[in-house]
């Protein structure tokens, strides 16, 4: 780290308003990233399509810092900030007012990681997004999907292997209320296979409209950002 960057980080850490990535002072305690870092993660976009709504591009250093922090430590400010990025994206594409009667579910974390960390970052993001969209998370967030502890982890597989592995990975839980309209949240999307499989399971269970959202995208093929899929 350069001397100037180190001084900025030290000042930010001392006052408690430091950017999560670079340490520069941010104007509000609720801001996790400074204006410069946030501009990096939201401006460097890839190609758009019509399946998955992505808030930021993972292939920037501030985004990697945000996602790594989100996965490794329980911090409500970080989860709420991630939810705010999705909310901003939904507002940008003028979809936010179409979601008033939707419920939210999420891609469950690997059971081993969940046991080790004691939290599920996608669930936390779903909770904060529900509060932002509906003012309530207890009645709007559904634990709808379960994840097998025996299947291989998606992050350790290549693109072609992920598509096959994901079919063994998830199922809809028994005795869960199935909503007609559903938003499904994941923290990071690479090929999109996880969210697409969860959408397929949701449709088979009786969901009629489904919106797929991810905080960050890590692959051009997975970056899509408009539309309600029926």
């Amino acid at each position: 780290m350069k001397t100037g960057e180190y001084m900025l980080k030290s000042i930010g850490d001392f006052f408690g308003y430091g950017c999560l990535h670079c340490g520069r002072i941010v104007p509000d305690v609720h801001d996790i990233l400074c204006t410069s870092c946030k501009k990096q993660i939201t401006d460097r976009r890839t190609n758009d399509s019509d399946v998955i709504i992505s808030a930021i591009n993972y292939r920037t250093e501030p985004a990697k810092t945000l996602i790594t922090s989100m996965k490794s430590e329980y911090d409500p400010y970080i989860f709420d900030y991630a939810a705010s990025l999705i909310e901003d994206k939904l507002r940008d594409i003028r979809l936010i007012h179409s979601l008033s009667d939707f419920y939210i579910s999420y891609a469950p974390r690997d059971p081993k990681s969940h046991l080790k960390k004691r939290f599920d970052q996608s669930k936390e993001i779903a909770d904060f997004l529900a509060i932002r969209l509906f003012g309530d998370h207890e009645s709007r967030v559904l634990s709808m999907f379960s994840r097998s502890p025996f299947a291989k982890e998606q992050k350790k597989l290549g693109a072609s292997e992920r598509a096959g592995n994901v079919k063994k990975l998830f199922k809809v839980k028994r005795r869960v209320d199935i909503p007609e309209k559903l938003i499904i949240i994941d923290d990071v999307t690479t090929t999109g296979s996880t969210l697409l499989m969860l959408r397929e399971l949701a449709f088979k269970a009786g969901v009629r409209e489904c919106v797929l959202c991810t905080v960050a995208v890590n692959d051009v093929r997975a970056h899509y950002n408009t539309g309600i899929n029926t």
Side-chain angles (χ1 to χ4, degrees):
M1 183 181 290
K2 296 179 181 179
T3 303
E5 292 177 343
Y6 177 79
M7 290 178 65
L8 283 169
K9 180 172 176 57
S10 299
I11 292 170
D13 289 343
F14 178 79
F15 285 103
Y17 292 86
C19 170
L20 182 68
H21 176 67
C22 71
R24 291 181 175 89
I25 296 175
V26 295
D28 190 300
V29 68
H30 298 293
D31 287 333
I32 299 298
L33 297 177
C34 67
T35 303
S36 175
C37 288
K38 186 172 182 179
K39 189 174 188 299
Q40 288 184 56
I41 66 176
T42 54
D43 276 4
R44 297 176 61 183
R45 299 302 180 92
T46 53
N47 297 330
D48 293 344
S49 185
D50 62 355
V51 181
I52 299 172
I53 297 169
S54 166
I56 64 174
N57 189 340
Y58 181 77
R59 294 187 176 186
T60 60
E61 293 307 313
K64 291 177 183 178
T65 299
L66 175 65
I67 298 300
T68 300
S69 299
M70 195 167 65
K71 287 176 175 289
S72 61
E73 59 182 295
Y74 184 88
D75 188 331
Y77 285 107
I78 293 178
F79 299 136
D80 184 47
Y81 187 77
S84 75
L85 293 172
I86 295 177
E87 181 189 27
D88 288 345
K89 184 63 179 184
L90 292 171
R91 183 174 288 106
D92 288 346
I93 62 176
R94 300 180 181 179
L95 188 58
I96 197 164
H97 298 299
S98 304
L99 303 175
S100 59
D101 53 351
F102 275 68
Y103 288 79
I104 302 178
S105 192
Y106 52 90
R109 190 171 196 169
D110 172 66
K112 293 179 182 177
S113 297
H114 196 177
L115 184 63
K116 181 179 179 180
K117 296 295 184 179
R118 303 289 183 179
F119 69 90
D120 185 327
Q121 68 274 10
S122 293
K123 180 186 183 304
E124 298 300 329
I125 296 166
D127 284 346
F128 279 103
L129 183 62
I131 292 171
R132 285 178 166 273
L133 295 182
F134 314 123
D136 170 43
H137 71 90
E138 292 186 357
S139 65
R140 289 297 192 112
V141 177
L142 306 174
S143 177
M144 190 169 163
F145 305 102
S146 62
R147 180 168 182 155
S148 170
F150 305 110
K152 297 178 180 179
E153 291 186 59
Q154 288 288 88
K155 65 182 179 181
K156 296 180 179 180
L157 304 176
S160 59
E161 296 175 296
R162 286 173 180 245
N165 184 67
V166 76
K167 295 179 181 179
K168 310 170 188 176
L169 202 54
F170 301 104
K171 65 180 181 180
V172 176
K173 292 182 177 180
R174 296 180 179 179
R175 294 186 292 275
V176 62
D177 293 331
I178 305 298
E180 288 191 4
K181 300 179 181 181
L182 184 68
I183 301 168
I184 304 178
I185 300 294
D186 200 2
D187 58 346
V188 181
T189 293
T190 301
T191 64
S193 57
T194 293
L195 281 174
L196 293 174
M197 176 52 64
L198 293 178
R199 183 184 67 168
E200 181 179 328
L201 292 173
F203 282 157
K204 288 180 179 179
V207 172
R208 294 185 179 182
E209 295 183 23
C210 190
V211 175
L212 305 179
C213 295
T214 182
V215 177
V217 64
N218 190 29
D219 194 300
V220 172
R221 291 165 297 178
H223 184 251
Y224 313 95
N225 81 3
T226 59
I228 293 179
N229 303 283
T230 58

